[in-house]
Every structure is written in C-alpha cells, then in structure tokens.
Amino acid sequence: MNQPQPEKTIDIDFGNPQPFFDKNRAVVVIEKKNKTPYPKSVVKEMLDIIRQNRELIEKTYESG
Amino acid sequence: MRLFVDERASSKFAGKYVFFDNDFLSEIFSDEELFKKTLEFFSRGFLTIDPLIKFEFLRDTYLPEQRKLKEDFISKAIFTPAISHNDIFVRLQSNALLLSKIYTHEKQPNCKPSFIDLMLAGRMMFHENIGVLVTRNKKDYPSCVFDIEIFLNAERPKDGVILSYSVLCFNRRKFNVCYRNLQTLDQGI
C-alpha cells in the first residue's frame, strides 16, 4: 500500500528563536528581511482598506 | 492622526516581534496616517498578531461590510501570525495563571486584566527579550513585571486629545523577585 507523501515544505532558517512562525508565510518574512520596510503593494492595499473603513464609518454613524 | 514618537528609538525594535493589543490594532485600522507612521517606526521589527487578538479584533462587528474589511486587513502578509499550536497554548496558559497570582500578591489594585490580556502577558513572558507589546491599557501589564520601552503618542484630530500607547516588554529580573515572594508565601501555608 502506498504511504501518504508528506506535503512539500521549504526549510528556512528564521534565526533564533522563531519556532512559532507559520512556514507558509515564510516568503513574507524573507522578503521583509531583504527589502525595507514592507512590500509597497500590500501597504497600498491596506491603506485602501482603511480608507474604505473610514468612509463606511462616516457614512453609517456620522452622516446623521 | 499624527504620531509623536522619538524616531531614534526605532532601532531598539530591530528583529523584535512587535505584538499589537486590540486597542492599537483597531486604531491603525481606522487611520491611514497612523498606520503608515507605525509601519515606518517598526520597520525593522516583525509585526505579529496573537490569535486571541485576531479573535478580539474580528468579534462583535455589526456591519457586514466592515466585517469583510477587517478580515481582509488582518489577513495581509505584513502581519506575521503567531501559531496557535496546542503546545504553545498550554505554556501561555501556565504563564498567564502564574502572572495572575503574582499580580494579586503584589497588590496591584488597578490591575484587573481580562483573560485575553493575561494570555497576552503570558505570550510576552514566553517571548522575553524578543517580544514587545503595544497597548493603551498599561494598567493591565503592571510595573512589577513589565517595563515600558517607549511611548507612542497620537493626536486625535476631532478633539485634539492625545492618546498614549505604551510599548512594553517582560522583565525577567523583576519577575524573579515577584516569583520568589510568591514562593515564600506558599511555603507559609
């Protein structure tokens, strides 16, 4: 009977001590180590979310 | 919202895990300027979200549109998730219970932390020397065990009120003193 194959993972040295990080997110950590400060595209998306939230609050609670 | 902080202190947080309490996370979720300045200030650290803070951030959101925005925001890759593994949870719970006993015996009258605050304190103890916590509720993290590294002050535009957030870290030396006091009490039973 075929043994189930483990899912492929990439071993990355996070340094010490970082045992609690999710390896699926490792690429972000590596990218952040190499680039300063954060991926611009992600920051832009988050700023857009904050703007939408602010507009939603203004429309819902502050218009009246 | 303008952030007032000594930018030279930014280097203190290089390589550190910067945990946000829900009050600060909610504040940066509502203000683009504060969000940008926070990213700049902690640019050499790792912004980290404890699973219980994620829970607190997402719970009790009335507007469906806002719920979706919160879920999108918290899932972005600049936040490094702390794994919610059972082995770690058990250790955090043990830390939290011990800290609650210490708070009581050290006579901290204003310190009445919630379960999540205690677990977060346990998380800071687990990541001593490498974890810091940004919170507005300093009273839930008493000085008998925690040190203030720096303050982040933000001016609220609508009324000019200054909101002060503490950046805290666990102090092992102070903890050991409190722990010895607790053990002495226990020996007297």
Side-chain angles (χ1 to χ4, degrees):
Chain A
M1 195 168 70
N2 289 337
Q3 292 291 321
Q5 294 300 306
E7 197 176 326
K8 282 188 179 176
T9 56
I10 305 167
D11 286 329
I12 295 171
D13 180 11
F14 287 112
N16 179 43
Q18 302 190 350
F20 69 104
F21 282 127
D22 183 346
K23 285 190 175 185
N24 295 326
R25 306 291 286 276
V27 64
V28 177
V29 178
I30 297 302
E31 186 175 5
K32 198 168 114 40
K33 278 183 176 172
N34 294 335
K35 295 179 183 177
T36 302
Y38 295 94
K40 280 185 181 172
S41 59
V42 179
V43 173
K44 191 168 175 293
E45 285 172 18
M46 295 180 82
L47 285 169
D48 193 46
I49 292 172
I50 295 169
R51 180 188 54 75
Q52 288 180 58
N53 178 59
R54 186 169 43 74
E55 289 174 358
L56 179 66
I57 297 295
E58 285 169 2
K59 192 177 85 178
T60 309
Y61 297 113
E62 295 170 10
S63 61
Chain B
M1 195 182 289
R2 289 178 64 192
L3 184 67
F4 297 92
V5 65
D6 181 359
E7 290 176 7
R8 292 169 299 181
S10 175
S11 60
K12 289 176 73 169
F13 306 105
K16 297 241 171 137
Y17 305 148
V18 182
F19 288 82
F20 291 159
D21 202 347
N22 186 48
D23 50 17
F24 189 70
L25 183 62
S26 298
E27 207 68 67
I28 63 170
F29 174 65
S30 307
D31 190 293
E32 293 106 309
E33 184 66 18
L34 184 62
F35 173 74
K36 280 195 289 189
K37 292 293 179 190
T38 301
L39 285 192
E40 283 173 21
F41 184 71
F42 291 117
S43 63
R44 296 171 68 184
F46 300 103
L47 305 186
T48 313
I49 300 295
D50 185 278
L52 288 171
I53 295 302
K54 181 179 178 183
F55 167 82
E56 208 170 31
F57 180 69
L58 294 176
R59 62 176 284 192
D60 298 338
T61 305
Y62 178 72
L63 297 171
E65 301 94 326
Q66 190 179 42
R67 191 168 62 229
K68 178 71 172 58
L69 289 171
K70 281 188 167 187
E71 286 166 358
D72 286 350
F73 183 78
I74 199 79
S75 67
K76 293 298 180 191
I78 68 162
F79 293 127
T80 308
I83 284 181
S84 184
H85 191 280
N86 190 47
D87 287 349
I88 293 176
F89 183 84
V90 168
R91 291 172 67 178
L92 299 185
Q93 196 176 26
S94 172
N95 288 353
L97 183 59
L98 180 55
L99 287 171
S100 76
K101 292 175 184 172
I102 285 174
Y103 295 171
T104 302
H105 285 291
E106 291 298 319
K107 296 183 174 55
Q108 301 288 326
N110 293 321
C111 181
K112 296 181 175 61
S114 67
F115 169 74
I116 290 180
D117 291 326
L118 273 174
M119 289 296 284
L120 202 51
R123 171 77 76 177
M124 291 301 103
M125 183 174 162
F126 184 74
H127 297 300
E128 63 172 298
N129 301 324
I130 199 161
V132 295
L133 171 68
V134 185
T135 182
R136 199 173 163 202
N137 286 323
K138 166 67 184 68
K139 62 181 172 51
D140 290 335
Y141 304 88
S143 302
C144 62
V145 176
F146 290 92
D147 286 339
I148 298 172
E149 291 271 340
I150 194 170
F151 286 108
L152 307 179
N153 294 313
E155 183 185 16
R156 196 163 55 194
K158 67 178 179 183
D159 52 12
V161 167
I162 301 293
L163 304 176
S164 191
Y165 294 90
S166 308
V167 183
L168 305 171
C169 67
F170 177 80
N171 183 317
R172 169 63 63 179
R173 185 183 54 77
K174 285 158 73 172
F175 168 82
N176 284 341
V177 171
C178 294
Y179 187 51
R180 275 197 296 274
N181 291 342
L182 187 67
Q183 284 178 314
T184 304
L185 276 171
D186 287 350
Q187 283 166 5
I189 297 174

